[in-house]
Amino acid sequence: MLPNPSGARLTSVLSARRSHAAFHTSASRRAAGDRMTGTLPSYGPVGVARALDASSATGTNPTLFAKEFSLADRVALVSGGNRGIGLEMALALVEAGTRIVYCLDLPEKPGDEFTKVREYASHLKGTGGEARLEYVSADVTNQNAMWKIGKTIGDREGRMDVCVAAAGILRGDTPCLTYPAKQFEEVIAVNVNGVLYTAQAAGQQMDRFGNGGSIIMIASISGHGANQGHPWVSYNTSKSAVLQMARSMACELGPKRIRVNTISPGYINTSMTGQFLAKRPELVEVWSSHNPLGRIGRPDELRGIVAWLASDSSSFCTGSDILVSGGHHAW
């Protein structure tokens, strides 16, 4: 039998229990509030919530493009940024206001395409940032080197907000039963390991500064199903791996407010695609027939989705794959 406490002691115990209950009720309410709204951006609520809070006598400015889609003062890292989809996305981030985009790629020096785009970006008006593209020669398959690059950027800029892992390679048609080990390992090293090391390089800095962030990995429709008529076992395998990598990382990094998503383009007219089609021009008609729009996509048609995923406007989107394929998947 438990002892019967004295009156004074009973009063003290009850008082302590009330205080404890009040504390936990308050903490529970705060936790419930966080679960209901998440962490609001510095500019506060938006949309209907902002309208309901606003004073009818006070003028206000729209927030959708000025705030929610804006990347003002943010820092980004883009692999494969020397040309193609990577460069297209880097420019889109600059136009959305990113202070600086570090474009990583394998060549020692940037190509003419990058140089011209960097010059163009430096003259943009009204971006809200410094509109800078900076080239960094890097091998995405070198984990230690990638981590060092990420830390160097973090030390220099004091933050890391956006990562786009766009570096990737495609090898020619090779039958799966005789696919050479070296070639398979080469594709996996860039398209899978390189994506992980890129995400790590940026994600470590996002975690370091505690501001959250957005990691965007370039997957492909080839990760959802095989490409009819093309023996691309290494490429298709690598892109499927990226889809699962993003889902796994999204679950692990969600509590740190680091979002991880993928974009799965269809057939896009990049320089890599152009080189392949130059050898087999008949495929232009074939590939175009694989989607309801009846054509191959342009790299600039991915700009809007990367700007959305990088910004506050997609703050409740993680672990998702966005298909941009002209409806290739809808047949």
Side-chain angles (χ1 to χ4, degrees), residues 11-234:
T11 300
S12 176
V13 169
L14 291 174
S15 177
R17 286 179 179 172
R18 283 195 295 270
S19 297
H20 183 73
F23 171 80
H24 279 280
T25 299
S26 176
S28 297
R29 285 174 179 166
R30 286 197 299 272
D34 289 344
R35 289 188 177 92
M36 290 294 290
T37 63
T39 302
L40 288 175
S42 60
Y43 45 85
V46 297
V48 171
R50 191 180 191 90
L52 294 177
D53 283 347
S55 166
S56 59
T58 305
T60 186
N61 295 318
T63 62
L64 184 59
F65 294 107
K67 298 290 186 181
E68 294 155 77
F69 272 96
S70 173
L71 297 176
D73 196 43
R74 300 190 192 183
V75 174
L77 181 156
V78 177
S79 69
N82 188 43
R83 62 179 186 172
I85 288 175
L87 181 56
E88 192 73 61
M89 292 190 167
L91 180 58
L93 295 177
V94 163
E95 291 190 36
T98 306
R99 184 204 310 166
I100 183 167
V101 181
Y102 288 87
C103 298
L104 281 55
D105 218 318
L106 194 56
E108 270 189 43
K109 296 181 179 179
D112 293 340
E113 189 176 346
F114 177 89
T115 302
K116 188 167 185 177
V117 171
R118 178 171 57 187
E119 177 67 16
Y120 170 83
S122 69
H123 295 295
L124 287 172
K125 298 178 181 179
T127 61
E130 297 176 21
R132 289 169 55 206
L133 290 174
E134 182 163 326
Y135 184 80
V136 179
S137 176
D139 179 357
V140 296
T141 68
N142 186 329
Q143 185 182 50
N144 288 334
M146 291 297 290
W147 288 13
K148 287 178 182 177
I149 288 171
K151 186 176 185 305
T152 298
I153 295 172
D155 290 344
R156 182 185 301 172
E157 304 296 340
R159 63 187 300 147
M160 179 73 76
D161 305 283
V162 181
C163 171
V164 181
I169 59 174
L170 169 67
R171 293 297 177 245
D173 292 356
T174 308
C176 64
L177 296 183
T178 54
Y179 205 101
K182 185 177 180 181
Q183 184 172 309
F184 191 89
E185 290 163 3
E186 181 184 30
V187 173
I188 297 299
V190 176
N191 293 7
V192 181
N193 299 3
V195 169
L196 174 63
Y197 304 157
T198 302
Q200 288 175 329
Q204 287 172 3
Q205 301 310 306
M206 293 174 184
D207 185 31
R208 171 187 175 188
F209 295 110
N211 297 321
S214 176
I215 296 173
I216 304 161
M217 301 175 177
I218 305 305
S220 172
I221 56 168
S222 302
H224 293 269
N227 299 69
Q228 186 177 5
H230 298 289
W232 290 349
V233 66
S234 64

